[in-house]
Amino acid sequence: MLRIHFSDADLARTRVATAPDPVWEIAASLHRLQSRKGRWAYAEWYRTARQQLRDKGLERVLRSVLLPLYPRAAYFPDFLTPAHAVGDLAMGMESIVATPPQRVLDEVAILDRTVGAPTWAGRLTRLESRKEFVGMVRAYHDAVVAPYAEQTQARIEAERAVRCRGLLDGGVEGMLSGLGPMLRWRPPVLEVSYPKQAADRDLYLDGRGLTLVPSYFNWGEPVAFADPQLPPVLWYSMLHEPSPLDAPYEDAADRPLITLLGRARAVALRAASTGATTTEIARAAGVSTSSASRHATALRDARLITTVRHGPAVLHTLTPAGASLLRAGLGRSR
């Protein structure tokens, strides 16, 4: 477990990132390729990513360079996800290139002690090697992460809307209380679930505040820097097990909602609880996009969801009435 200790000054300086962190999403997406956990949530991406990597000739780079340096383990080098570059891919890549050689050497040594580092990793102390490595990372990002930028941003906008509601209802502490099953607010400490193989540790913010970064590709435990001297950043997942949308609705706990709304609209309402595009509702309900749009319109006309345009996409989120109906349906079925 990671225990993050807040002071009043830290609460005042805590914020939710306005955009996804593309450098972190690269790391998290590489972790998705190394695990079957949560595969249901990324099934379409996984199939597309594998095809794109084949088509662009990046399979060897993936196997021999990226996966060994970004293991899904208790540790991978902090310099690969620069703290001051949250939300800026170009700055993140520049920061990796500019990493001091001694820091690269130190963090590769930690990786080697933790899970084993590739034999070539020490060459990253050389500027030209880091530039070459960054070129590979950019190519991977362009192939499998960038195509999901719109979807990722939409989910983060929905997450920020939910956090804003918590902030309005209960201040920063109210916002921290609703971050999900992997994070528990026990004033003045935020307890963060960590991988079982990781040792318990404490992070004292000391007035620096905390940047919360919702992540599209992160699954399961949130992630923070191993080095407590780095700016405090916590990346956390917007998706969690178990998936109510993945289970057969005939056996689902929220059967009263199905009786009231029908299966597809019950799925749509559930999806809107975390924010969903029409395409995401269609995928979750197993219907066409046009059918999902009609179901969303019916829910909107009933004032159970609200729809806002964000760029070329539309995002559906719950109204207070929709949230009350969802809570009532779940409470009655338990």
Side-chain angles (χ1 to χ4, degrees):
M1 177 182 291
L2 170 65
R3 293 174 290 269
I4 303 177
H5 298 258
F6 287 73
S7 66
D8 289 344
D10 294 313
L11 290 172
R13 292 187 175 95
T14 293
R15 67 186 187 91
V16 179
T18 59
D21 179 1
V23 181
W24 167 254
E25 296 300 332
I26 289 168
S29 68
L30 285 164
H31 294 165
R32 299 286 60 74
L33 293 173
Q34 299 174 64
S35 173
R36 294 193 64 83
K37 289 186 176 179
R39 182 67 59 81
W40 62 267
Y42 303 96
E44 180 189 355
W45 172 82
Y46 184 83
R47 289 191 298 270
T48 303
R50 283 296 188 184
Q51 186 62 50
Q52 285 288 94
L53 292 168
R54 282 193 295 270
D55 292 347
K56 296 184 180 298
L58 292 171
E59 289 183 305
R60 185 189 63 80
V61 167
L62 176 72
R63 289 192 305 270
S64 62
V65 178
L66 300 179
L67 296 183
L69 207 59
Y70 292 83
R72 186 178 176 274
Y75 178 82
F76 67 92
D78 284 338
F79 78 86
L80 298 175
T81 51
H84 64 280
V86 169
D88 190 325
L89 177 64
M91 185 179 294
M93 296 296 98
E94 291 171 6
S95 295
I96 292 175
V97 171
T99 305
Q102 187 59 51
R103 179 181 172 189
V104 173
L105 201 61
D106 291 344
E107 294 186 5
V108 167
I110 297 173
L111 177 64
D112 196 40
R113 292 195 302 271
T114 306
V115 294
T119 56
W120 52 263
R123 296 202 296 270
L124 289 174
T125 55
R126 307 172 192 166
L127 179 60
E128 287 306 313
S129 294
R130 292 197 300 280
K131 288 181 178 179
E132 183 181 2
F133 170 73
V134 159
M136 298 176 188
V137 173
R138 275 188 174 275
Y140 172 86
H141 172 271
D142 292 346
V144 304
V145 177
Y148 282 75
E150 178 184 309
Q151 190 168 326
T152 301
Q153 182 64 45
R155 291 300 301 265
I156 286 183
E157 290 293 338
E159 173 69 8
R160 281 173 55 85
V162 173
R163 295 303 131 234
C164 182
R165 186 173 297 176
L167 180 68
L168 292 172
D169 291 344
V172 176
E173 293 191 73
M175 180 180 73
L176 293 173
S177 296
L179 284 172
M182 296 290 181
L183 301 105
R184 179 175 297 180
W185 175 242
R186 294 182 182 273
V189 176
L190 182 64
E191 295 178 346
V192 182
S193 296
Y194 248 37
K196 293 179 180 177
Q197 64 268 36
D200 287 359
R201 65 188 183 99
D202 293 271
L203 173 61
Y204 293 88
L205 298 178
D206 296 328
R208 295 175 293 171
L210 179 68
T211 299
L212 296 162
V213 185
S215 171
Y216 183 80
F217 287 108
N218 190 61
W219 181 264
E221 294 90 352
V223 180
F225 287 119
D227 185 350
Q229 300 307 311
L230 291 172
V233 178
L234 185 69
W235 293 271
Y236 68 97
S237 175
M238 293 182 284
L239 294 169
H240 307 284
E241 290 277 22
S243 166
L245 301 181
D246 196 50
Y249 258 74
E250 289 74 19
D251 298 324
D254 40 357
R255 189 169 296 161
L257 284 177
I258 304 170
T259 303
L260 179 65
L261 300 174
R263 181 187 178 280
R265 289 177 189 174
V267 174
L269 188 70
R270 193 68 120 94
S273 67
T274 54
T277 63
T278 304
T279 301
E280 289 170 340
I281 288 175
R283 188 181 305 125
V287 299
S288 67
T289 303
S290 59
S291 292
S293 180
R294 287 195 296 272
H295 291 310
T297 298
L299 293 173
R300 185 169 59 252
D301 290 345
R303 299 184 181 179
L304 296 176
I305 67 170
T306 185
T307 302
V308 295
R309 180 162 292 280
H310 183 73
V314 294
L315 185 69
H316 308 287
T317 55
L318 294 180
T319 64
S324 296
L325 178 62
L326 186 60
R327 284 195 299 269
L330 291 175
R332 193 175 298 119
S333 62
R334 287 191 173 97

